[in-house]
Amino acid sequence: MNYEQEEILKLKEEKNAIILAHNYQTQEIQEIADFLGDSLELCIKASQIEDADLVVFCGVDFMAETAAILNPYKKILIPDTQAECPMAHMLPAEEVKKYKKKYPQAAVVLYVNTLAEAKAEADILCTSANAVQVVESLDAQQILFGPDMNLARYVQERTDKEIIPIPEVGYCYVHKMFNTADIGFSRENYPDAEVLVHPECDAEVQEAADHILSTGGMIRQVADSDSNSFLIATEVDMVTRLRRENPDKLIYPLLDEAICENMKLHTLEKVKKSLMEEKFRVIVPEEIADKARGAVKRMLEVS
Ligand code: 13P
Ligand code: SF4
């Protein structure tokens, strides 16, 4: 631990705070987190917070908002308010309402990568870890599903229900960077490596992979597999965690440039400031939070 990290640990104790962090945070933030996980694991953890007075959320806007929806009476803080997931902004609540009018029989399944106002329009949420399970839990045959087009297609291939992607072209700019040429080239260099890709990657990238997994799924796959080497097609700091937890295995990023700049806005300095000044509080208006909470809780019941 460096000096700044030690200071944060002390502050955390003084303030009775906990730090929740997503797997895409930098190594130095990963090291000071009380809990590190994928979107689903972070939702579950956020639903179980009991004693902490403060929660510092090192992730993007939709993740911190979900924690605030689940904990209306707790102070949920985000160190940098600009840490927004662009994909979550691709499906405004108004769009969801329009689609609901057009398809009144359909159930609405929204990816957790949506803003609180959109979540308030959903029947149930999902993450990349449980999307198929969530869709299969519903009675409806027609499902409005958004905003990630690639995840929608991934689900469509694994269910008999009709998946209607909303909007038609929602995507993650980080996972769009991967292509099959990179996979082919890397497989030539590392013929024994298992290729793990995220379901936000394009269809042909998913087809060229050995496993399609959420970031939490990648953690379990690398730990449990008999393989000794892995190529990882998701944000590069996923590799940081995998290497730390599997020192005997060879783990390579498929693309060094796959960086989620939005996640990286959080720094140790900002985390320290956030704890000291109890800023920036994530506020979800009560009527929106109350509506969205049902969809989050339904997902947690299914998971
Ligand atoms: P996971 O739920 O797999 O952690 O993914 C979150 C995310 O934002 C992927 O880009
Ligand atoms: Fe959003 Fe993509 Fe960053 Fe995940 S990696 S937070 S989906 S922009």
Side-chain angles (χ1 to χ4, degrees), residues 22 24 38-39 113 128 175 198 200 214-215:
H22 186 264
Y24 296 162
D38 71 7
S39 313
N113 300 41
S128 58
H175 291 91
H198 197 275
E200 288 174 14
S214 71
T215 62

Side-chain angles (χ1 to χ4, degrees), residues 123-134:
D123 292 309
I124 187 166
L125 301 188
C126 73
T127 76
S128 58
N130 62 11
V132 177
Q133 208 180 334
V134 164

Side-chain angles (χ1 to χ4, degrees), residues 24 62 85-91 109-114 126-128 131 135 143-156 163-177 198-203 206 212-213:
Y24 296 162
F62 74 83
C85 167
M87 186 210 282
H89 293 251
M90 290 176 189
L91 185 59
V109 179
L110 294 188
Y111 196 19
V112 71
N113 300 41
T114 41
C126 73
T127 76
S128 58
V135 163
I143 313 284
L144 293 171
F145 188 103
D148 190 58
M149 183 179 63
N150 286 330
L151 183 62
R153 188 191 149 278
Y154 169 88
V155 175
Q156 183 63 85
I163 304 292
I164 302 163
I166 59 168
E168 275 154 38
V169 284
Y171 67 93
C172 162
Y173 74 97
V174 181
H175 291 91
K176 275 268 172 206
M177 291 181 198
H198 197 275
E200 288 174 14
C201 292
D202 284 339
Q206 292 188 26
I212 308 160
L213 297 162

Side-chain angles (χ1 to χ4, degrees), residues 178-197:
F178 297 102
N179 59 52
T180 48
D182 293 330
I183 296 189
F185 178 74
S186 299
R187 277 201 196 273
E188 273 175 32
N189 287 325
Y190 306 102
D192 298 328
E194 266 182 40
V195 177
L196 313 188
V197 310

Side-chain angles (χ1 to χ4, degrees), residues 65 68-70 72 116 120 284-296:
E65 276 188 356
I69 289 166
L70 287 166
V284 179
E286 202 178 317
E287 68 283 7
I288 292 172
D290 287 348
K291 270 183 90 184
R293 196 171 301 115
V296 183

Side-chain angles (χ1 to χ4, degrees), residues 219-234:
I219 297 284
R220 290 184 287 280
Q221 178 63 23
V222 172
D224 297 346
S225 167
D226 291 333
S227 302
N228 192 43
S229 50
F230 301 85
L231 287 159
I232 307 297
T234 190

